[in-house]
């Protein structure tokens, strides 16, 4: 009986110390982080796009946290500088990602500023990146004989759409592209000691 009590108390103590070190202290350290200089709040369109990003599971394959040069070759890949707490000031919750099946997207707005590239890549990823394992999102688009006035026609590589038809982006696709383009943290970050 005495050894069971020690075991339980030891386990609870270990859990308390781990929680304090891994949850409480980091929260206290960055809870009041100001937005990084140059970071702008999301527009309503970008926020709707962020919801699309979450709903379609983009966060499961793409991270939004380029790592420091000492830890990973992210800068050599062109993914941008390592992020700081202020880069996530307007993200609730921060979409750090769970793994990197696809590239980091924190600076995709700087790397790929074209609406047409993003729309085409969402419609048919392999037309833009051969061998890509990213799923296509055709339900974000309509394939029709012609587009109505004011609609966004997606310019796709030849052979991607049946002859005589056009791909028209739905509002959800345009919102998602607006969010992806807002992911531009190419402004300088403050040094960690400031």
């Amino acid at each position: 009986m005495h050894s069971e009590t020690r075991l339980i108390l030891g386990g609870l103590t270990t859990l308390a110390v781990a929680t304090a070190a891994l949850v409480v202290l980091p929260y206290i350290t960055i809870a009041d982080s100001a937005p990084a200089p140059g970071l702008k709040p999301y527009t309503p369109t970008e926020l709707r796009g962020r919801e699309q990003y979450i709903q379609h599971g983009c966060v499961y394959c793409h991270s939004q946290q380029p790592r420091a040069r000492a830890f990973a070759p992210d800068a050599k890949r062109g993914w941008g500088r390592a992020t700081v707490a202020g880069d996530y000031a307007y993200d609730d919750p921060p979409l750090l990602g769970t793994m990197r099946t696809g590239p980091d997207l924190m600076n995709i707005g700087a790397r790929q500023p074209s609406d047409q590239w993003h729309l085409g890549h969402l419609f048919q990823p392999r037309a833009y990146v051969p061998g890509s394992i990213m799923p296509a999102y055709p339900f974000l688009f309509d394939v029709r004989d012609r587009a109505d006035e004011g609609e966004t026609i997606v310019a796709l590589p030849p052979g991607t759409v049946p002859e005589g038809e056009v791909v028209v982006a739905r509002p959800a696709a345009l919102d998602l592209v607006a969010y992806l383009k807002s992911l531009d943290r190419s402004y300088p970050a403050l040094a960690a000691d400031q």
Side-chain angles (χ1 to χ4, degrees):
M1 175 81 175
H2 188 62
S3 61
E4 292 171 349
T5 305
R6 280 186 178 170
L7 180 64
I8 291 171
L9 287 176
L12 290 174
T13 302
T14 302
L15 182 62
V17 169
T19 301
L22 299 174
V23 177
V24 176
L25 290 176
Y27 176 78
I28 291 169
T29 305
I30 63 170
D32 295 325
S33 294
L39 181 65
K40 297 177 209 159
Y42 294 116
T43 66
T45 302
E46 293 165 354
L47 286 172
R48 287 192 307 270
R50 188 173 192 273
E51 288 301 315
Q52 292 293 320
Y53 185 90
I54 293 167
Q55 287 175 5
H56 299 309
C58 304
V59 71
Y60 295 116
C61 295
H62 295 283
S63 62
Q64 289 186 19
Q65 53 177 341
R67 294 171 289 203
R69 293 178 193 271
F71 298 116
D74 294 355
K76 291 179 185 173
R77 293 175 177 153
W79 293 353
R81 65 166 173 76
T83 51
V84 295
D87 288 330
Y88 304 100
Y90 301 117
D91 290 3
D92 187 26
L95 303 176
L96 302 178
T98 57
M99 63 186 315
R100 282 196 182 153
T101 303
D104 186 276
L105 297 182
M106 181 51 95
N107 286 297
I108 192 67
R111 295 192 320 260
Q112 288 291 351
S114 165
D115 287 1
Q116 285 295 320
W117 187 92
H118 285 290
L119 289 168
H121 189 253
L122 289 169
F123 182 75
Q124 181 45 267
R126 280 153 295 288
Y128 292 81
V129 182
S132 173
I133 61 170
M134 178 177 150
Y137 294 93
F139 53 87
L140 295 174
F141 303 88
D142 291 321
V143 179
R144 301 191 295 225
D145 295 334
R146 63 179 178 79
D148 294 332
E149 188 176 329
E151 292 184 315
T152 302
I153 297 174
V154 182
L156 293 161
T160 309
V161 178
E163 191 74 29
E165 294 188 319
V166 294
V167 175
V168 178
R170 291 183 177 178
L174 297 172
D175 292 345
L176 179 54
V177 168
Y179 172 67
L180 291 171
K181 287 179 59 180
S182 75
L183 295 176
D184 181 354
R185 305 302 193 265
S186 57
Y187 51 79
L190 293 176
D193 60 347
Q194 292 183 347

